[in-house]
Amino acid sequence: MESRAREWIKADESAKEMLSRVLIHFVLPPPLHTFPFRPGNVVEVVGPTPSAKTHILMQAAIRCILPKEWNGVCYGGLDHVVMFIDLDCRFDILHFSRLLEHQIRIAQGLKFNEEMGKNEADSAKYILKKDSLGGNVKSLTSMCLRRFFYVRCYNSLQFLATLKTMHMQIQERKENHGIGVHVLMIDRKGLSLQAVSEIVVEEIRKLLKLHRVLILTTKTVNLQDRFLTHEIKSAPSKVFSEDTSCSRATRSKPQNIPYREYMPFVWQNFVTHRVLIRPSDDEIQNPPIFSSEWLLPLLNTIERFTAGDHGTLTVPSRCIGKN
């Protein structure tokens, strides 16, 4: 209890600083930009293979680990630490670092164009400024990657062992880096047994009581199997329920979904937000176009976005409503 209190009250801290630390919210890239998530939310990204689910997690992780501002350049990041648990065992850390570096170069390019202008007469100053920004790319990339902790689990037992030691791992990183983990991402594939799911939910509940983190997880489904044997009923999470951004009225209604739900009710009731990602029917589109639809809370809109090699981008003109 005493350690929990120290988390909320710190010496030599103004009220503004305390509120900005305690009232954390996460504004993530598309298609997760619809809601300002808060610690305690459990966000499930659902879709078939392929539907850019891992790519969405990568872009969210990049937004989290980038700084808000560094060396006079605005990067629009959240200055947070991310722990990524890979249950699919296909995460490419080199590709992730390239995506991160690309986002850094975009921000630096905007700053460079702003300062130098299109008609810069001083070529020596132009070259010096360009070399200075270019040299900062590697330094900032390394700094951001130190905020990204990657764990690969090959089976359910390794995943459970990771969850059971998660508190100690977060504490260790907090002591070594002076900052705690804010976002826990779980990239998974395949079915989960009832008993395993119950233990997973219980361990994550314990973790949320000790650490104010946002949970982002993926789930692979088959959209061809549209006929359900039952309806899914959602119940509000008991952890940080005041910050779930889902009204009780919305969560209490049964929801029909366009796939067969295989996760046990203990997991379904634990999730506070669920977004369905679908690939476009047009297979020749490059970059490919996907659609996102929020099932929890239920929104009557579908938004299109692209997931190219270097980023995730919405296409607002393609948003459509549902009856």
Side-chain angles (χ1 to χ4, degrees):
M1 180 65 70
E2 183 179 348
S3 61
R4 186 76 175 145
R6 285 199 299 266
E7 202 175 301
W8 286 82
I9 303 174
K10 292 186 178 180
D12 301 325
E13 184 179 41
S14 67
K16 181 179 180 180
E17 292 171 336
M18 186 273 290
L19 289 175
S20 64
R21 173 174 56 82
V22 172
L23 301 178
I24 298 175
H25 66 277
F26 304 83
V27 180
L28 299 178
L32 302 177
H33 63 299
T34 306
F35 301 98
F37 300 114
R38 300 190 181 280
N41 288 155
V42 180
V43 184
E44 188 177 60
V45 182
V46 182
T49 300
S51 56
K53 297 186 297 297
T54 301
H55 188 88
I56 291 169
L57 290 192
M58 284 185 176
Q59 291 298 326
I62 289 172
R63 170 70 63 83
C64 290
I65 63 179
L66 277 172
K68 297 177 182 177
E69 184 177 337
W70 190 72
N71 283 0
V73 179
C74 179
Y75 294 94
L78 301 178
D79 276 314
H80 289 333
V81 176
V82 172
M83 179 169 286
F84 191 104
I85 302 179
D86 181 16
L87 304 182
D88 196 17
C89 299
R90 294 191 298 179
F91 184 86
D92 188 345
I93 191 65
L94 291 179
H95 179 60
F96 177 76
S97 63
R98 293 190 192 103
L99 292 176
L100 171 61
E101 186 173 318
H102 179 74
Q103 293 297 322
I104 292 173
R105 291 188 183 278
I106 289 177
Q108 293 187 352
L110 293 174
K111 180 66 174 179
F112 177 77
N113 292 334
E114 177 187 339
E115 291 191 358
M116 305 308 298
K118 295 181 179 180
N119 300 315
E120 178 59 50
D122 190 343
S123 59
K125 183 180 179 182
Y126 182 93
I127 295 173
L128 182 63
K129 183 67 177 178
K130 188 174 183 179
D131 290 344
S132 174
L133 287 174
N136 287 335
V137 172
K138 297 297 181 184
S139 299
L140 181 55
T141 301
S142 298
M143 185 187 80
C144 291
L145 288 176
R146 287 195 291 270
R147 297 176 177 173
F148 183 79
F149 300 102
Y150 174 76
V151 180
R152 173 172 288 185
C153 298
Y154 291 95
N155 53 51
S156 298
L157 291 179
Q158 289 187 3
F159 180 43
L160 291 176
T162 299
L163 289 177
K164 285 185 174 293
T165 60
M166 186 67 65
H167 171 61
M168 296 180 59
Q169 293 186 51
I170 293 177
Q171 286 295 102
E172 181 181 347
R173 283 161 174 75
K174 185 181 294 187
E175 294 173 0
N176 294 338
H177 299 274
I179 186 170
V181 173
H182 295 92
V183 182
L184 175 62
M185 298 184 176
I186 306 171
D187 194 15
R188 67 187 180 195
K189 182 180 181 180
L191 303 178
S192 296
L193 299 176
Q194 172 77 26
V196 173
S197 296
E198 291 178 354
I199 299 175
V200 166
V201 168
E202 182 61 27
E203 291 300 325
I204 296 179
R205 284 192 191 279
K206 292 178 182 178
L207 185 68
L208 290 176
K209 291 178 180 179
L210 297 171
H211 303 281
R212 293 175 56 79
V213 298
L214 169 69
I215 309 293
L216 288 177
T217 180
T218 62
K219 179 173 68 183
T220 300
V221 296
N222 182 6
L223 295 183
Q224 294 178 351
D225 188 4
R226 294 173 179 269
F227 299 98
L228 301 178
T229 57
H230 61 276
E231 292 180 323
I232 293 182
K233 297 182 180 179
S234 301
S237 172
K238 295 180 181 179
V239 184
F240 298 108
S241 59
E242 69 276 11
D243 288 335
T244 59
S245 301
C246 293
S247 67
R248 291 181 181 272
T250 300
R251 292 184 57 85
S252 62
K253 295 179 180 178
Q255 298 180 27
N256 292 319
I257 55 176
Y259 60 88
R260 186 180 298 277
E261 179 60 72
Y262 56 81
M263 292 298 291
F265 280 108
V266 65
W267 173 261
Q268 297 173 33
N269 295 339
F270 187 51
V271 172
T272 63
H273 296 75
R274 181 179 292 112
V275 59
L276 173 63
I277 309 297
R278 306 171 190 250
S280 171
D281 294 333
D282 191 349
E283 298 180 355
I284 64 174
Q285 282 284 351
N286 188 22
I289 295 179
F290 300 89
S291 67
S292 62
E293 177 185 356
W294 285 95
L295 304 179
L296 183 63
L298 183 61
L299 301 181
N300 292 321
T301 58
I302 297 177
E303 189 169 23
R304 305 297 176 89
F305 67 96
T306 60
D309 293 336
H310 297 301
T312 301
L313 174 68
T314 57
V315 187
S317 61
R318 299 290 296 278
C319 292
I320 60 176
K322 294 181 65 183
N323 295 325

